[in-house]
Amino acid sequence: MLGKGRMAALGFQHVLAMYAGAVIVPLLIGGALGFNTEQMTYLVSIDIFMCGIATLLQLTVNRFFGIGLPVVLGCAVQAIAPIILIGQEMGISAIYGSIIASGLFVLLIAPFFSKIVRFFPPVVTGSVVTVIGLTLIPVAINNLAGGVGASDFGSFYNIGLGFGTLLLIILVYRFGRGFTKAIAVLIGLVGGSVAAAILNGINLAPVREASFFHLPQPFYFGTPTFEWPAIVTMILISLVSMVESTGVYFALSDITGRSLKKQDLTRGYRAEGLAIILGGIFNTFPYTGYSQNVGLVQLSGIKTRKVIYVAAAFLLVLGLVPKIGAVTTIIPTSVLGGAMVAMFGMVVAQGIKMLGKVNFTSQENLLIIACSVGVGLGVTVVPDLFQNFPSFIQLFTSNGIVAGSFTAIILNIIFNMLPSRKKDSSEEMELQQVSVTKKRQQ
């Protein structure tokens, strides 16, 4: 039986484990879209608050939603690049319209996702996540240098601060143990900010000006608008997030010794869909199961949902206090950039890890990966490639992530799912077996 003190400590540990990953999403998106200090403070605060709400939706089991596992939901990192692109090309209102629409899509598709998931094997999801990570790396490097348009872009101070933050994260990962290692990014952000304060000072005005308490405000950034290219993009990202969440659900079911049924998964997907819709209404972002908290459940050996309820309560309280959110907005851009290199690099690494489950002896799989990553990066580098094509075509080529995703899905269907292809593959295997048998007989 856990005491109240230990329960609080374990719950806060889960908050710390996911905090850096959660707040970096609004910091990156808000920074890229030119939000002012007040808007950034609101964005970070409401993001933390809604992480608590999203987590509660998963913890609470009823007939409609909630998987009932010790899962923590946070903002999906893979959504950063698409959201920035949507915001820059179609405006902030289109971001939240596409998020609400994608949440509704997740709700509707939840009972059938187990059938659709076969369209997203590791060769597809791994390629998509790899492309997402690679498209984020330039953002990280620009921030490490001080941010695009900064007067001191590329200065020795910014480069030193950025790489110093990255070095600190690496050292904590190398020599840290247990919980310390789990919050390496957070330690790097704190250490880099302290170094910046000592060397050059930090403007604390945003913290002083922020209020002690606020209430969530629906449609803070205005009425959402619904643009088809943005909606298609966010639906694709939501599908990838659902695949990622499925992995989190099964990992936690294995740790807790609870077998999952189809109805459990459906309720889990619905909870995620509701969280995404609420994220759009309150102007935050899409949500997914956080794998770092799965590692913490495994590491601590505490598998009860009560600890996660405590973590959700902490998130709700922190999200209602703008001064806490304002603290994260004063982190220097170069310090964020150093942490981003590690985090976005980990997205690439996660994609490569997912690709590790792929049969690389198959030339078809190699071609799927090559073409999807090539098209995804190509469209990212040359975004005007399809500008003379009809708007319907541009719907699927509006950014590299969508283009790469569709390439991977279509090629996987052609090479791995069509009956004729399967038949050819089986015939090839039979011929190989006959050949091996003849050689042995000789």
Side-chain angles (χ1 to χ4, degrees), residues 132-156:
I132 289 170
L134 291 173
T135 58
L136 288 170
I137 295 297
V139 177
I141 296 299
N142 277 321
N143 278 313
L144 187 147
V148 176
S151 58
D152 59 346
F153 184 88
S155 66
F156 286 112

Side-chain angles (χ1 to χ4, degrees), residues 88-105:
Q88 291 174 340
E89 295 175 8
M90 303 174 203
I92 297 171
S93 60
I95 293 174
Y96 296 111
S98 66
I99 290 173
I100 292 171
S102 66
L104 287 170
F105 176 82

Side-chain angles (χ1 to χ4, degrees), residues 101-122:
S102 66
L104 287 170
F105 176 82
V106 171
L107 269 182
L108 294 172
I109 208 172
F112 315 106
F113 188 69
S114 58
K115 297 178 182 178
I116 297 174
V117 74
R118 66 194 183 97
F119 289 94
F120 297 88

Side-chain angles (χ1 to χ4, degrees), residues 29 89 191 253 265 317 348 357 373 429:
I29 294 172
E89 295 175 8
S253 71
L265 291 172
V317 172
V348 178
K357 301 175 184 177
V373 173
M429 289 180 67

Side-chain angles (χ1 to χ4, degrees), residues 12-21 179 182-183 186 290 292-293 296:
F12 195 63
Q13 179 176 249
H14 272 283
V15 172
L16 291 176
M18 59 82 69
Y19 193 82
F179 178 59
I183 59 168
L186 186 63
Y290 264 22
Q292 55 263 53
N293 291 89
L296 200 51

Side-chain angles (χ1 to χ4, degrees), residues 165-349:
T165 301
L166 178 60
L167 178 61
L168 178 57
I169 292 171
I170 293 170
L171 290 174
V172 174
Y173 260 102
R174 173 62 182 83
F175 298 106
R177 292 289 182 271
F179 178 59
T180 302
K181 190 174 182 178
I183 59 168
V185 173
L186 186 63
I187 293 173
L189 289 171
V190 172
S193 299
V194 170
I198 294 171
L199 294 172
N200 203 31
I202 288 181
N203 181 16
L204 297 176
V207 181
R208 288 194 298 267
E209 294 169 3
S211 60
F212 280 100
F213 179 80
H214 78 146
L215 289 173
Q217 182 179 333
F219 307 121
Y220 179 86
F221 292 105
T223 305
T225 57
F226 299 90
E227 304 285 347
W228 274 112
I231 291 171
V232 170
T233 301
M234 292 313 301
I235 284 175
L236 280 170
I237 296 303
S238 295
L239 287 169
V240 173
S241 295
M242 289 175 77
V243 174
E244 182 182 355
S245 291
T246 303
V248 169
Y249 300 155
F250 278 110
L252 284 170
S253 71
D254 184 60
I255 293 170
T256 59
R258 174 186 156 192
S259 61
L260 290 178
K261 299 177 181 178
K262 184 180 178 181
Q263 298 93 319
D264 297 319
L265 291 172
T266 298
R267 289 198 302 269
Y269 299 141
R270 282 177 180 157
E272 199 166 308
L274 281 173
I276 295 170
I277 292 171
L278 290 173
I281 292 173
F282 288 97
N283 293 161
T284 59
F285 308 108
Y287 293 93
T288 188
Y290 264 22
S291 56
Q292 55 263 53
N293 291 89
V294 176
L296 200 51
V297 172
Q298 178 74 65
L299 187 70
S300 66
I302 307 299
K303 305 168 186 178
T304 175
R305 278 185 291 161
K306 292 179 181 178
V307 170
I308 310 302
Y309 272 114
V310 173
F314 274 122
L315 290 170
L316 293 176
V317 172
L318 292 173
L320 293 174
V321 184
K323 277 195 181 295
I324 297 174
V327 170
T328 61
T329 68
I330 64 174
I331 299 172
T333 303
S334 53
V335 171
L336 277 175
M340 289 175 202
V341 171
M343 289 192 65
F344 296 164
M346 287 297 285
V347 176
V348 178

